[in-house]
Amino acid sequence: MAGMSSAHAPGSRGLGFRGISRQLITAVSWMCAAFLIAFAIAAVVLVTFGVGERGTAIALRATARWSFLLFWLAYAGGAMAWLCRPRLDGLARRGRELGLAFASAQLVHVGLVLWIIHIATGPSGAMVFFWVGIFCTYLLVLFTVPRLRDALEPRFWRIFRTIALEYIALAFAADFIIAPLHAGGFGKYPLTYLPFALTLVSGAGLRVVAFSDRRLGHLRENLSLRVPGPPRASHFGRMSREDHLVVWPVLIFVAVSAVLLAIDDALWGLFQSALALYGPLVVVLGTYVLLRSSARGIRFIGTQFK
């Protein structure tokens, strides 16, 4: 038995390394392709319209749309795969590559932002809203390194990942919804922004529906397997010292971001973006709950008069 184990061990390790190498090569390929496409888009626009403020602004809009496509697939891909399983399982498996591709494409966009700040004739402001989103993007990239990600407790990694993804989505909502509305109001809202705005809002809706479906599934499983016994201790009461070491950095990150946004007068913009992104979903869910409650009430009243 010992001889068989030692004979198979090197092969197993080799397969493991080959698997890791394949994943790394795939991720690097996606990142290079995304970066080169973004670079080509920016180069074509700048050659056509010049490297001044007008050309750079057009290049910023074009690269933002390319980055958004990659972000949206990473943002809503897992939810779509969950709701349409098993047909879209491949999309969920590619979530890491899509996220890394988005971060790679964003490098070109960040470069254009720094360039337009450099050549701008007027004040550009601190742009805290934007830079916090960029920080979230590359912090997520940092934690795609398996050793760093494994250092986090899985539950709190999911919490941080959700916070970071939703913040990036809010930054896109500010770009595609709030900024055009501030510039011209509803009457002059550019129709070219509309597909991106609707896609973004639908992505948030898909994530909420998938999350609810998962939670309901877990709840049904727990109810079917529940065994009578003493009440369980509260979640926070059972948290270990290691859990606290993960929770506090997340809370500090959120608090520091809120303070920076408040200093830059961007909290109102964040609230407006949240209203634009989640408002339609809240209205739809609220209407559904209201109609369902009304139907139950009508049925209950009907039974009383039978």
Side-chain angles (χ1 to χ4, degrees), residues 189-244:
Y189 183 83
L191 293 180
T192 53
Y193 282 83
L194 191 58
F196 298 97
L198 293 177
T199 303
L200 184 58
V201 172
S202 66
L206 286 169
R207 283 172 61 84
V208 170
V209 171
F211 175 79
S212 302
D213 188 59
R214 289 192 195 98
R215 298 302 297 174
L216 288 173
H218 293 327
L219 182 61
R220 284 192 292 268
E221 289 176 8
N222 291 338
L223 287 175
S224 62
L225 299 174
R226 181 170 290 177
V227 209
R232 298 172 63 186
S234 68
H235 170 73
F236 289 102
R238 292 181 288 112
M239 283 173 55
S240 65
R241 180 174 177 272
E242 289 75 14
D243 289 340
H244 281 95

Side-chain angles (χ1 to χ4, degrees), residues 142-178:
L142 183 65
F143 281 108
T144 60
V145 178
R147 188 170 295 180
L148 289 176
R149 187 177 63 249
D150 293 342
L152 293 178
E153 205 276 343
R155 182 174 62 254
F156 294 112
W157 159 241
R158 289 193 297 270
I159 292 172
F160 169 73
R161 183 181 60 191
T162 300
I163 291 172
L165 284 174
E166 295 303 330
Y167 185 92
I168 297 168
L170 289 174
F172 275 114
D175 190 21
F176 292 140
I177 304 174
I178 302 304

